Amino acid sequence: MSELGQTTDVPQIPLPNAYAQDMLDFLAEEGFRPKFDEDGDVFFKYEGYTNVVMTAQGDATAFCLMVPYFWPLEDAAERTRALEAAMYAQMNIRIGRITVMEKDVTATVNAYLPDDQGFRAVMLRSLEGLRYLINTFREQMRAQLEN
């Protein structure tokens, strides 16, 4: 128990900025159930994946939609296959980027938008494109195992 006058360290959850609140409201209007994460970014589920819109930086013209850690990597051989699948997916689907890290794989769509409401014009299409990119990666990973 702390004595009077002493403060305890309580983690502070960042307050949502205007961009984060606009994004959350837009996604809710579109039928998603978005929430703020511990960093103040917006996250929501779509087709079984957790999606994150990076809003904590507060720049509504820098759009970043991410599906973090959607494919875990077991070993170096699987990482090599993932690199090949990522190259194949990105060569055929030019909407976003697949990032192969040491232990998992992440997909992102990044764009600079003309104004602070530009995300409304690109969000749903980017979401569909990102899903197509991920599905292409997954299909390629499975095809490598069959060969």
Side-chain angles (χ1 to χ4, degrees), residues 1-143:
M1 179 154 42
S2 64
E3 295 189 30
L4 292 176
Q6 289 183 333
T7 59
T8 57
D9 291 332
V10 176
Q12 299 267 329
I13 296 175
L15 295 174
N17 57 51
Y19 173 41
Q21 190 62 56
D22 285 350
M23 180 62 74
L24 186 123
D25 293 343
F26 172 77
L27 289 168
E29 289 166 11
E30 292 297 325
F32 298 99
R33 292 189 286 186
K35 297 178 183 174
F36 293 113
D37 71 3
E38 63 276 357
D39 296 324
D41 295 316
V42 177
F43 74 99
F44 61 99
K45 293 278 191 178
Y46 176 66
E47 292 188 359
Y49 293 103
T50 298
N51 294 264
V52 179
V53 180
M54 306 299 285
T55 59
Q57 79 280 1
D59 182 358
T61 64
F63 177 76
C64 179
L65 172 64
M66 174 186 298
V67 176
Y69 320 122
F70 73 88
W71 187 280
L73 299 172
E74 310 251 335
D75 55 29
E78 186 175 29
R79 186 172 189 275
T80 299
R81 288 192 308 275
L83 288 167
E84 291 175 16
M87 286 187 288
Y88 177 86
Q90 289 176 177
M91 183 175 64
N92 291 288
I93 315 299
R94 299 193 183 250
I95 182 73
R97 177 180 308 253
I98 300 274
T99 304
V100 178
M101 296 176 280
E102 187 158 338
K103 303 249 184 230
D104 48 52
V105 180
T106 294
T108 56
V109 171
N110 295 290
Y112 288 110
L113 304 174
D115 58 48
D116 65 350
Q117 294 299 306
F119 71 88
R120 294 176 183 277
V122 301
M123 178 63 191
L124 297 178
R125 188 164 183 205
S126 295
L127 190 59
E128 290 296 322
L130 190 58
R131 193 64 57 239
Y132 188 47
L133 178 67
I134 289 169
N135 288 342
T136 301
F137 171 87
R138 293 174 65 87
E139 289 167 8
Q140 189 63 24
M141 286 294 285
R142 288 186 190 105

